[in-house]
Amino acid sequence: MLSSCKYTSVLLVDDDVDDRMIFGDVLKELVPDIIYNEAINGEDALERLGNGLVPDLIFLDLNMPRINGKQFLAEIRQIDHLKHIPVIIYTTSSHESDKRETRELGAAYFITKPNSLHELNQLLKGILEHTIQYTLKS
C-alpha cells in the first residue's frame, strides 16, 4: 500500500480483459480507496467521459478496435475540460515511432507493459507517488 497518493480516480482504456483485471488488482492493492474505471476501447472511453467521468489520470493502450489509443488521445486533447488530464500510454509496443507520435499528441509518459506483477506494481507505485516524472521520455 502507498503512503501517499494525490490521485483519487484512474481510468484504464484497454481492450484486453486480462490486462484490465491485472491492472485493477495491482492498483487496488496499492491504493485500496482509489476509484478505478475501465473502458474497453477509445470509443467506450469517450462515451464515459462524455457522461461526466473526469478521472485524475488515464492509462491508455494503443492497439484497440474502433477508436485506437492515438485517435483517443487526439480527441481528448481537443476537449477543454479533459485536455489537462495526464495520459500515460500503457501498451505492448516499444516502437520509437509510437513514443514520438504519442508525445506529439500530448501523452505524459510511455510505458511498455511489464512482464510481471512485481514490475507493474513498481511502475504504478512510481507513477502514483511521483517518483517517476511526468514527462514523456524516448
Side-chain angles (χ1 to χ4, degrees), residues 66-136:
R66 299 191 183 218
I67 296 178
N68 69 35
K70 291 175 188 175
Q71 293 167 317
F72 170 82
L73 184 55
E75 289 272 336
I76 68 161
R77 289 302 178 230
Q78 303 303 312
I79 302 170
D80 285 337
H81 73 282
L82 301 175
K83 62 184 174 185
H84 72 282
I85 300 171
V87 176
I88 296 173
I89 304 303
Y90 180 69
T91 184
T92 55
S93 171
S94 59
H95 298 291
E96 289 303 316
S97 61
D98 286 334
K99 292 178 183 182
R100 185 183 65 255
E101 287 176 54
T102 55
R103 179 186 318 119
E104 290 168 0
L105 290 169
Y109 204 78
F110 191 103
I111 295 173
T112 299
K113 290 180 181 178
N115 294 321
S116 72
L117 288 175
H118 175 73
E119 209 178 331
L120 176 58
N121 181 295
Q122 294 305 302
L123 275 169
L124 288 179
K125 188 175 182 183
I127 289 166
L128 297 172
E129 288 183 329
H130 283 278
T131 54
I132 293 177
Q133 295 301 310
Y134 283 13
T135 54
L136 189 67

Side-chain angles (χ1 to χ4, degrees), residues 11 13 41-47 49 58-61 64 67-77 82 87:
L11 171 64
V13 185
N41 57 46
E43 182 178 74
D44 182 33
L46 286 171
E47 184 177 316
L49 294 166
I58 297 173
F59 287 84
L60 178 64
D61 187 21
M64 299 178 291
I67 296 178
N68 69 35
K70 291 175 188 175
Q71 293 167 317
F72 170 82
L73 184 55
E75 289 272 336
I76 68 161
R77 289 302 178 230
L82 301 175
V87 176

Side-chain angles (χ1 to χ4, degrees), residues 24-60:
D25 288 349
V26 172
L27 181 67
K28 285 292 203 173
E29 182 181 304
L30 288 169
V31 188
D33 59 344
I34 200 161
I35 299 166
Y36 173 60
N37 292 282
E38 299 176 341
I40 61 172
N41 57 46
E43 182 178 74
D44 182 33
L46 286 171
E47 184 177 316
R48 290 170 188 260
L49 294 166
N51 289 327
L53 177 65
V54 182
D56 297 327
L57 192 57
I58 297 173
F59 287 84
L60 178 64

